[in-house]
Amino acid sequence: MSEEEHKKGRNFIEAIVEKDISENNNDGRVHTRFPPEPNGYLHIGHAKSICLNFGLTEKYGGKTNLRFDDTNPTKEEMEYIESIKEDVSWLGFDWEDREYYASDYFEQLYQWAELLIKEGKAYVDDQSVEEIAATRGTPTRPGKISPYRERSIEENLDLFRRMKAGEFENGARVLRAKIDMASPNMHLRDPIMYRILHAYHQRTKNEWCIYPMYDYAHGQSDYIETITHSICTLEFEVHRPLYDWFLDQIATGDYRPKQIEFARLNLSYTVMSKRRLMELVKEGYVDGWDDPRMPTISGLRRRGFTPESIRNFSEKVGVAKRDNVIDVALLEHSVREDLNKKAQRVMGVLDPLKIVIENYPHDVTEELETINNPEDESMGYRKIPFSREIYIDRNDFMEDPPRKFFRLSPGKEVRLKSAYIIKCEDIVKDHQGNITELKCSYDPETKSGASQSNRKVKGTLHWVSAPHAINAEVRLYDRLFNDEDPAGYKDHDFKEFFNEKSLNILKECKLEPSLKDAIPEDRFQFQRIGYFCVDRYSTSEKLIFNRTVTLRDTWAKISQKK
RNA sequence: UGCCCGAUGGUGUAAUUGGCAACACGUCUGAUUCUGGAUCAGAAGAGUCCAGGUUCGAACCCUGGUCGGGCAACCA
């Protein structure tokens, strides 16, 4: 991308960063952070944020920290930390040695809290949760001042130290910043800085029984890490004055991190909150956080998405402040675009229909040559066996076809990809009238690559040689929900829109023999069908393929229009 | 009846910061094709939420509305 194009296409955050650099704010540094709370798996929305934060520092020459926002020991687990790290690196980003935890700063945070008390800017409140909630006021009415607000500095200090020492029960007292109970911004009405939580923390163990709240911990953590641009989602916009207030209390020089908010990603036909995804997992709607239908990074990975496709997608969706719903078609386009260039083409028959080529000799196997990827000659060629009995997909045959059907039907000819032209001579049915087999003839002059092979026929089919085919299970996935915005109804639970047909397992699929050594996460294009990925739990005894996405299907559109 | 955001083709994002509304996805044509894929060529689709104002000129600035979102967890 040229300098000129840069300027044209830049989003509002890049514009801010460029301005800060040109004005030499914070010495012209760019330092961002990705700050997940380890209480769930990362999803495609986080991927956008990861790409944004790491992308910015790649572009402008800076650093990005990975920081776990682990200030609530009752909700957070080690399992999530591991999955988050794996997802970020899988996407292709490197936080180098900067793996940080908000809990690493507990001591510093505590010291700053004492400082605030000493300056008369924080106080210990003995009110109960209910009382604090009740006296906070409403958006239109100011709150009531706490009876404990004017305690002496000495008493506050003493009580806060005793809170830390574990002398009080959960919920008995909190430390509050003394700001303004009448502020029109609810977050400035003496926000809670510390609460008492006698809970075991994954990292600090039993060292603490008071834990800082997000608003107090986050900005100060940014400050400690010398973050310059603290990017978060829109719902934190009203927190910004508080973010700045806390910083102003402890900052000593000119350096200040700047909070910038952008609109979170929404995807059509799915849900995008950890809470809802957790529900799907816990209530068994899906297999787990990495179910291929989930919009989680691990789910997309298992489904067969590439890191590149997700990064390209993140680039394409843009960054702005207005609410948005991205068409899932854009995500699908991103994988197709990437896999089209990379995925080896193979033959796979999902719903086998046997064909006997009656004029082809018994006991003969030809090794036919076929290109691995017509988009990339360097991927080479391979051999596929051909014989008298083959399988084609059942929906590639119609006994009574409509006019635009270019596939096999009685008396009609069709090309077998990389093989011969065959003609349907006869149909074999069982007693119920189901088609069980097709009798065909082949034209030996039409072998692919042969000099007289140029005869044109309307259609080309994929196929596999019956005696050489290997068996596999193929899982077809569809959108998780039937509604574009399942979480968008006040009077309906999002799970009411769960798509019962979102998973279709096919157990009798026949694949070309070269696939027998495929290992988990190998990706292929099953010619004319779609892109498929070996499931992470696939074994050589039981091969399992997940359909990542179908190919664009013009015929499906034509036939749907009837 | 408070405060803070936002509003540009079906969807998303741009518009050299006041100068002919562009790009991508999607849709539709056609060409091509041993994948009804890919590729190539082309088309339709918004006059920028509304009403005023400033200006030679407004998507952009001002005023007033309308609509949408967020904020009242000892969550993040």
Side-chain angles (χ1 to χ4, degrees):
Chain A
M1 202 190 284
S2 75
E3 193 66 30
E4 208 54 32
E5 284 164 322
H6 256 144
K7 293 236 156 173
K8 285 238 162 189
R10 78 222 215 283
N11 63 52
F12 83 100
I13 296 181
E14 291 170 334
I16 291 170
V17 170
E18 286 180 20
K19 188 160 183 283
D20 284 333
I21 292 172
S22 70
E23 292 175 357
N24 207 240
N25 294 144
N26 294 331
D27 303 322
R29 289 186 303 114
V30 183
H31 198 155
T32 61
R33 103 267 90 117
F34 174 62
E37 183 189 12
N39 67 344
Y41 280 63
L42 262 26
H43 53 62
I44 183 79
H46 294 110
K48 173 181 176 176
S49 172
I50 293 166
C51 293
L52 216 198
N53 278 295
F54 281 91
L56 230 33
T57 53
E58 270 176 15
K59 182 168 178 176
Y60 296 105
K63 294 172 180 169
T64 301
N65 297 354
L66 174 61
R67 179 165 81 229
F68 292 97
D69 222 334
D70 58 348
T71 56
N72 186 353
T74 64
K75 288 189 178 173
E76 295 149 7
E77 292 170 27
M78 275 316 206
E79 175 199 354
Y80 299 127
I81 291 178
E82 290 312 311
S83 75
I84 288 167
K85 281 160 50 174
E86 180 164 342
D87 288 347
V88 176
S89 0
W90 179 73
L91 280 174
F93 296 108
D94 186 4
W95 57 91
E96 299 173 320
D97 58 347
R98 295 179 309 282
E99 175 182 327
Y100 298 135
Y101 295 80
S103 55
D104 292 343
Y105 313 136
F106 281 173
E107 181 58 34
Q108 174 66 264
L109 259 14
Y110 175 83
Q111 293 303 331
W112 277 329
E114 281 208 353
L115 182 72
L116 257 67
I117 293 173
K118 288 171 188 162
E119 290 177 349
K121 290 169 178 165
Y123 63 98
V124 172
D125 195 339
D126 297 359
Q127 293 183 105
S128 66
V129 197
E130 296 74 27
E131 287 169 319
I132 290 177
T135 54
R136 199 187 312 278
T138 68
T140 54
R141 242 184 296 240
K144 282 199 194 67
I145 287 186
S146 166
Y148 304 96
R149 199 177 200 252
E150 298 307 330
R151 284 216 251 240
S152 69
I153 288 172
E154 292 66 34
E155 189 181 3
N156 278 320
L157 215 45
D158 175 60
L159 286 169
F160 187 49
R161 286 173 179 165
R162 287 164 61 194
M163 278 170 65
K164 183 193 180 215
E167 288 189 28
F168 311 118
E169 303 279 287
N170 284 358
R173 290 174 224 266
V174 292
L175 181 72
R176 290 231 248 176
K178 190 190 282 190
I179 307 180
D180 178 8
M181 287 306 288
S183 172
N185 183 336
M186 300 289 295
H187 298 279
L188 260 20
R189 320 244 262 229
D190 290 8
I192 292 169
M193 295 172 63
Y194 273 93
R195 77 284 213 187
I196 299 170
L197 236 40
H198 290 274
Y200 177 82
H201 187 284
Q202 298 291 338
R203 293 180 57 84
T204 60
K205 316 296 179 198
N206 293 310
E207 193 183 338
W208 296 87
C209 62
I210 56 171
Y211 291 92
M213 300 288 290
Y214 167 86
D215 284 304
Y216 177 60
H218 201 92
Q220 317 307 83
S221 299
D222 285 342
Y223 187 82
I224 292 168
E225 294 179 18
T226 67
I227 299 303
T228 56
H229 302 269
S230 182
I231 299 168
C232 61
T233 45
L234 247 32
E235 67 269 27
F236 292 103
E237 205 157 20
V238 281
H239 294 239
R240 193 179 346 128
L242 181 55
Y243 178 94
D244 291 335
W245 188 90
F246 278 129
L247 250 18
D248 286 340
Q249 309 313 311
I250 56 123
T252 50
D254 286 341
Y255 156 66
R256 285 288 189 293
K258 176 188 284 181
Q259 178 180 303
I260 304 167
E261 312 86 12
F262 73 102
R264 60 156 22 104
L265 170 78
N266 294 295
L267 244 199
S268 60
Y269 296 99
T270 191
V271 292
M272 201 71 87
S273 77
K274 281 194 255 186
R275 193 207 93 213
R276 293 197 178 89
L277 295 174
M278 176 95 73
E279 255 181 87
L280 293 173
V281 172
K282 294 215 159 139
E283 295 174 27
Y285 284 84
V286 294
D287 234 7
W289 286 98
D290 68 347
D291 185 293
R293 291 166 290 181
M294 292 282 271
T296 50
I297 295 175
S298 52
L300 292 165
R301 175 178 180 178
R302 190 171 161 199
R303 175 85 170 250
F305 281 73
T306 58
E308 293 75 15
S309 69
I310 292 174
R311 291 209 303 265
N312 291 339
F313 171 75
S314 297
E315 189 63 38
K316 280 183 237 229
V317 297
V319 180
K321 293 188 75 165
R322 76 185 82 134
D323 293 335
N324 61 80
V325 181
I326 306 295
D327 193 337
V328 69
L330 186 61
L331 217 210
E332 292 174 348
H333 167 262
S334 302
V335 233
R336 287 195 188 103
E337 185 181 46
D338 192 38
L339 257 19
N340 176 51
K341 291 178 295 189
K342 296 177 182 165
Q344 181 182 321
R345 272 58 170 172
V346 294
M347 304 271 215
V349 173
L350 303 189
D351 185 9
L353 172 61
K354 185 182 267 189
I355 287 184
V356 178
I357 302 165
E358 295 189 294
N359 60 337
Y360 193 88
H362 291 267
D363 307 322
V364 168
T365 297
E366 275 186 88
E367 293 289 327
L368 303 175
E369 188 170 66
T370 188
I371 189 164
N372 284 328
N373 185 351
E375 299 292 317
D376 182 2
E377 185 96 13
S378 75
M379 287 177 71
Y381 294 78
R382 72 181 186 289
K383 303 280 192 191
I384 46 174
F386 183 80
S387 68
R388 192 169 195 267
E389 294 193 356
I390 62 166
Y391 293 113
I392 65 164
D393 253 309
R394 194 165 282 272
N395 61 11
D396 280 335
F397 176 79
M398 273 185 107
E399 189 171 4
D400 188 18
R403 48 264 125 215
K404 282 185 154 177
F405 189 77
F406 299 157
R407 307 175 184 186
L408 198 60
S409 53
K412 291 285 173 54
E413 283 189 328
V414 87
R415 163 134 241 141
L416 293 178
K417 174 78 184 170
S418 302
Y420 299 93
I421 290 175
I422 59 167
K423 183 180 191 178
C424 177
E425 307 285 1
D426 202 6
I427 303 174
V428 182
K429 294 182 179 176
D430 64 15
H431 339 286
Q432 284 122 30
N434 301 313
I435 300 170
T436 55
E437 190 179 303
L438 262 25
K439 306 280 190 200
C440 293
S441 61
Y442 87 115
D443 179 350
E445 302 294 298
T446 58
K447 183 171 172 176
S448 285
S451 49
Q452 304 99 317
S453 67
N454 295 331
R455 239 175 79 205
K456 297 273 188 260
V457 283
K458 275 186 204 161
T460 301
L461 304 188
H462 61 278
W463 53 274
V464 298
S465 168
H468 304 92
I470 58 172
N471 297 310
E473 176 175 313
V474 173
R475 298 175 180 171
L476 269 22
Y477 297 99
D478 199 356
R479 44 187 57 147
L480 242 191
F481 294 92
N482 290 315
D483 191 273
E484 211 173 302
D485 182 17
Y489 302 85
K490 291 164 207 86
D491 45 348
H492 290 279
D493 184 82
F494 73 101
K495 296 191 292 305
E496 290 174 33
F497 302 101
F498 179 78
N499 180 9
E500 300 293 345
K501 295 179 183 143
S502 55
L503 172 59
N504 182 15
I505 300 180
L506 305 176
K507 291 177 181 292
E508 309 288 315
C509 307
K510 302 288 185 183
L511 311 180
E512 66 166 77
S514 74
L515 254 14
K516 71 175 195 304
D517 298 321
I519 56 168
E521 294 201 357
D522 278 351
R523 303 182 185 90
F524 301 92
Q525 184 198 93
F526 286 9
Q527 225 141 186
R528 300 208 310 132
I529 304 176
Y531 295 98
F532 292 79
C533 175
V534 181
D535 189 74
R536 64 184 296 189
Y537 300 113
S538 177
T539 62
S540 47
E541 290 75 45
K542 190 193 176 191
L543 268 179
I544 303 171
F545 284 83
N546 295 320
R547 184 176 69 194
T548 309
V549 66
T550 61
L551 251 32
R552 280 189 65 216
D553 192 347
T554 311
W555 167 244
K557 273 178 206 158
I558 295 170
S559 55
Q560 263 165 32
K561 284 184 206 156
K562 101 187 170 317

